[in-house]
Amino acid sequence: MTQPLRVRIRLFAMQRELAGTRSLDVTVPPGSTIEDAWRALVEVHPVLAPGRPAVRFAHNGAYASPETALAHGDEVAMIPPVSGGGDRLGDAPGPRRIVELREEPFGPSILTELAERLATPDDGAVVGFLGVTRRSPGTPAPGQEAEAARHAGRVVESLTYEAHAAMALDVMAEIADEIEARFGVSRIAIVHREGDVPLGEPSVAIAACAPHRDAAFAAARYAIDETKARAPIWKAEQFSDGHVWIGEPAREGPEEAG
């Protein structure tokens, strides 16, 4: 008799809160797909069902389609709407890339730190970007509209970031690869916070170094836009009496070059 498949499910952000767990195992018949694993999850936690249109999936640490076939022992991460470390340095003159998740706070001086780690004498441009916590609320993630309405007119006090760390670092490294291919910029840094980030403090830092400014500006813009759209990093806006998850359904790959 063919044995059923055991699949580990990982939950993040609003899904984790609704289900009350970060992970659980489900069993599905042989030949099942990721979509079947979702259905098995919803049987255990029906409260998750309304979120399906905004959910994306990761199979063993990489984005995958709902039709992806499963094997015994696979891991499936349910990726709710995303917000919007590992230090990987090459030896000169090859690529120098920094992709990190940091729990400890950093300030504006991180841009100087990253520039010193990345720039070479051939670079005539260093472009830096800081994303900081603002007091005005963002767009609530699908399913969070009622909670956002409850906090309408209130001031955001801080942000909390949660990440699928290993996958986030891989996605950020893919973005660095794309930047080199599209813009010829091989010296790029993407550093993102985890945990609580108070009002006015940075949550993400980007640095791009290149011989010419046009390429450096384009690389930095691409880095922040793609990180917010694709990296499995979730953001909750904290208010005095609750929080709201912010974001849009994750994009599973790069936008087509225009």
Side-chain angles (χ1 to χ4, degrees):
M1 181 178 178
T2 305
Q3 295 296 314
L5 308 178
R6 186 181 74 252
V7 177
R8 169 57 58 96
I9 303 294
R10 295 187 65 184
L11 302 174
F12 298 90
M14 66 198 78
Q15 294 175 344
R16 169 183 54 76
E17 293 179 344
L18 289 170
T21 184
R22 293 183 180 274
S23 65
L24 70 157
D25 291 343
V26 298
T27 57
V28 293
S32 291
T33 65
I34 288 177
E35 190 69 52
D36 296 319
W38 169 263
R39 294 190 187 101
L41 169 66
V42 168
E43 287 183 5
V44 180
H45 296 291
V47 68
L48 299 177
R52 174 63 185 90
V55 171
R56 303 295 181 263
F57 304 103
H59 178 237
N60 296 333
Y63 280 117
S65 72
E67 296 79 24
T68 300
L70 295 173
H72 186 73
D74 278 354
E75 177 187 280
V76 176
M78 307 303 178
I79 306 295
V82 295
S83 80
D87 189 345
R88 307 184 183 191
L89 289 175
D91 295 326
R96 298 184 178 190
R97 296 170 182 174
I98 301 169
V99 291
E100 296 179 359
L101 295 175
R102 296 190 185 185
E103 293 186 0
E104 67 275 12
F106 54 76
S109 62
I110 190 175
L111 296 180
T112 301
E113 171 202 329
L114 295 175
E116 290 175 348
R117 293 168 66 185
L118 287 174
T120 73
D122 292 324
D123 291 321
V126 178
V127 172
F129 169 85
L130 285 178
V132 301
T133 301
R134 66 174 188 265
R135 67 174 67 242
S136 57
T139 303
Q144 291 282 285
E145 293 84 359
E147 187 66 12
R150 192 170 73 84
H151 297 286
R154 301 183 188 179
V155 172
V156 175
E157 298 186 354
S158 65
L159 298 178
T160 299
Y161 286 93
E162 180 178 331
H164 185 324
M167 185 178 172
L169 291 170
D170 285 344
V171 170
M172 290 154 67
E174 290 174 5
I175 292 168
D177 287 340
E178 293 159 13
I179 287 170
E180 182 172 15
R182 292 181 181 224
F183 310 112
V185 175
S186 59
R187 292 175 293 285
I188 187 77
I190 308 171
V191 180
H192 208 296
R193 280 288 313 276
E194 290 186 282
D196 296 330
V197 183
L199 193 68
E201 289 192 8
S203 57
V204 60
I206 304 291
C209 303
H212 305 289
R213 64 181 181 273
D214 287 349
F217 274 113
R221 179 61 184 263
Y222 187 89
I224 185 60
D225 287 351
E226 293 298 300
T227 297
K228 288 178 66 67
R230 293 160 54 189
I233 301 171
W234 298 278
K235 176 173 70 176
E237 293 178 340
Q238 301 290 343
F239 299 90
S240 59
D241 60 347
H243 63 269
V244 177
W245 291 98
I246 301 299
E248 299 178 352
R251 179 154 42 78
E252 298 175 22
E255 284 190 318
E256 295 298 325

